[in-house]
Amino acid sequence: MTDLDVALDTGFFGHPRGLATLFFTEMWERLSYYGMRALLVLFMVDSVRGGMGLTDKTAASIYGLYTSAVYLAALPGGWLADRFLGAQKAVWYGGMIIAAGHFVLAIPRTEAFFVGLILVVIGTGMLKPNVSAMVGEVYPEGGARRDAGFSVFYMGINLGAFLGPLICGTLGEKLNWHYGFGAAGVGMVLGLIQYRMLRPRLGEAGLRPGHAGQASQVQKFVAIGAALALVLIVVLGLARVIEFNPIKMAERTTTVLVGIAVIFFGGIFLFGRLDKVEKQRLAVVVILCATGALFWACFEQAGTSFNLFADQYTQRQLSFVGHHFSITTTSFQSVGPIFVIALSPVMGAVWLNLGRRNLNPSIPLKFGFGLVLLGLGFLVLAGAAVFVARGQKVWPTWLILTYLLHTFGELCVSPVGLSSVTKLAPKRFVGQMMGAWFLATSLGNLIAGRIAGEFDPNADRQMPGRFLQMVILPVAVAIIIIALSRPIKRMMAGVS
């Protein structure tokens, strides 16, 4: 299929048929990822139904390290596809590694649990960035149809994120934790089957490495050496030659990631040969990345402290018109994605309508609004925690309202951040700036785990204060960003 054939292809609701291949591949992968993620902390803290019996702090630290590593792995995953495999092969092999990881997680042994997590991290790092890159490649003509294609693709992400907790979570909670992990593996296998069957629709998109022949012998040796070092560390860890302390690892990794960010941006400022405008725009990228890290550190409480709140403090035995039913803890993880699916077109229409009136908020204002909405979500939970401190369980509506506010916040930050970084970055550093955004997301996920570990399940009276602290920081930063929005906008030098 030539680029012209792809450009004229409208077989998938007006879009290239290759988008359907990528849509369903991503949907099944996100189903497996979010389905397993919904179970992760609950399984680690459980000591009754065959879980690991870890403390909340240790479980949250492992969760933070895992989700952080998933985003970091996207950087070498993209590099491998770009230099060696091509995106199509990277997605195929990545999917197989993900499926293997979930099936290993289904084995009821502690060693299998950690090996499974590592495999899922590696596989996701190979699949996630490259399936997204191919979405752009199936639109060689670019333009508005490409933008609409990414919107359709984003729906696939959230459809999988909605279904995963309902399917895997229900199996894990109602039957056996490991059935839930196994179901995530089955989901990824189904995604691989459809990918293999519909792969010809992709044509030349991602078929060959983007920089074929540019990987030097030194780079190849480094890649092989890094892979062997990872295998060696895993083997030594499983043999208990190396002892891992998740809490200390999370603390040290946070320091390392912050150090990498400082060195990275400092190096580009000092040695990137930037002109004045580029330096100003790069300073805005730094502000956006730092704000993004803060946003994700709070937003990603969904998989940790919110999950534990739903499990321990939310009334899940309900009755309606004489019928009694139970809500699973993991089903709350599906609330956010369904809100995204429902509200994304609404938010898009709002921005377009404001734009036609020349009232569209600037990028810093949108980030500020996102942080305020984030803080309001925690304010709702602080109110719920007052009842928890009195020894009561609260209605699910408290968590649902929090997820609604956080979804509005996400739609102000996540798509805006991705788009803004590509526009503000110096042209020769666009790829590296996207890596910096992933680094900020990774750092935010890691900090999220550390924050969740500070919520003491035996100190109910302290919970309202803990959630109020989560209100103060994002709102304070939002006030600063909104107050400085005009000078920040001037630093953007025409980018909107």
Side-chain angles (χ1 to χ4, degrees), residues 261-291:
V262 170
I263 293 170
F264 171 77
F265 283 113
I268 293 182
F269 268 114
L270 294 173
F271 308 110
R273 298 179 181 179
L274 307 179
D275 58 32
K276 182 179 178 181
V277 170
E278 288 176 328
K279 285 183 177 180
Q280 289 178 340
R281 289 176 175 172
L282 185 60
V284 177
V285 172
V286 173
I287 294 171
L288 297 183
C289 285
T291 306

Side-chain angles (χ1 to χ4, degrees), residues 184-380:
V186 171
M188 190 65 254
V189 169
L190 292 173
L192 284 169
I193 291 171
Q194 76 83 31
Y195 178 74
R196 193 70 176 183
M197 292 175 63
L198 302 181
R199 188 171 166 181
R201 295 183 176 183
L202 296 173
E204 297 291 312
L207 188 60
R208 284 174 287 274
H211 296 280
Q214 292 189 18
S216 66
Q217 287 297 117
V218 173
Q219 290 175 326
K220 292 178 181 178
F221 283 128
V222 169
I224 294 171
L228 292 174
L230 177 61
V231 172
L232 179 61
I233 291 171
V234 171
V235 170
L236 291 175
L238 294 176
R240 300 187 185 280
V241 175
I242 301 176
E243 291 290 336
F244 295 109
N245 184 319
I247 297 173
K248 289 184 179 179
M249 284 181 64
E251 294 172 355
R252 291 168 182 168
T253 305
T254 302
T255 304
V256 169
L257 293 184
V258 171
I260 290 173
V262 170
I263 293 170
F264 171 77
F265 283 113
I268 293 182
F269 268 114
L270 294 173
F271 308 110
R273 298 179 181 179
L274 307 179
D275 58 32
K276 182 179 178 181
V277 170
E278 288 176 328
K279 285 183 177 180
Q280 289 178 340
R281 289 176 175 172
L282 185 60
V284 177
V285 172
V286 173
I287 294 171
L288 297 183
C289 285
T291 306
L294 171 63
F295 181 88
W296 295 119
C298 299
F299 182 86
E300 282 298 324
Q301 296 303 306
T304 46
S305 60
F306 289 6
N307 218 2
L308 295 172
F309 188 90
D311 184 52
Q312 298 170 15
Y313 306 114
T314 301
Q315 178 59 259
R316 295 182 288 107
Q317 308 298 324
L318 304 175
S319 60
F320 182 73
V321 195
H323 296 282
H324 301 279
F325 60 96
S326 173
I327 303 175
T328 59
T329 300
T330 50
S331 63
F332 285 95
Q333 299 292 300
S334 295
V335 174
I338 199 65
F339 278 148
V340 170
I341 293 171
L343 297 176
S344 288
V346 176
M347 291 290 285
V350 168
W351 298 140
L352 287 173
N353 189 39
L354 290 173
R356 283 193 289 267
R357 302 179 184 183
N358 292 320
L359 296 174
N360 193 19
S362 64
I363 292 169
L365 280 178
K366 287 179 180 177
F367 266 63
F369 296 157
L371 288 173
V372 169
L373 289 163
L374 190 72
L376 289 176
F378 281 104
L379 185 62
V380 170

Side-chain angles (χ1 to χ4, degrees), residues 35-54:
M36 185 274 278
R37 194 192 78 155
L39 294 169
L40 197 54
V41 169
L42 298 176
F43 167 71
M44 286 190 284
V45 301
D46 172 58
S47 58
V48 178
R49 297 181 49 246
M52 299 178 73
L54 302 177

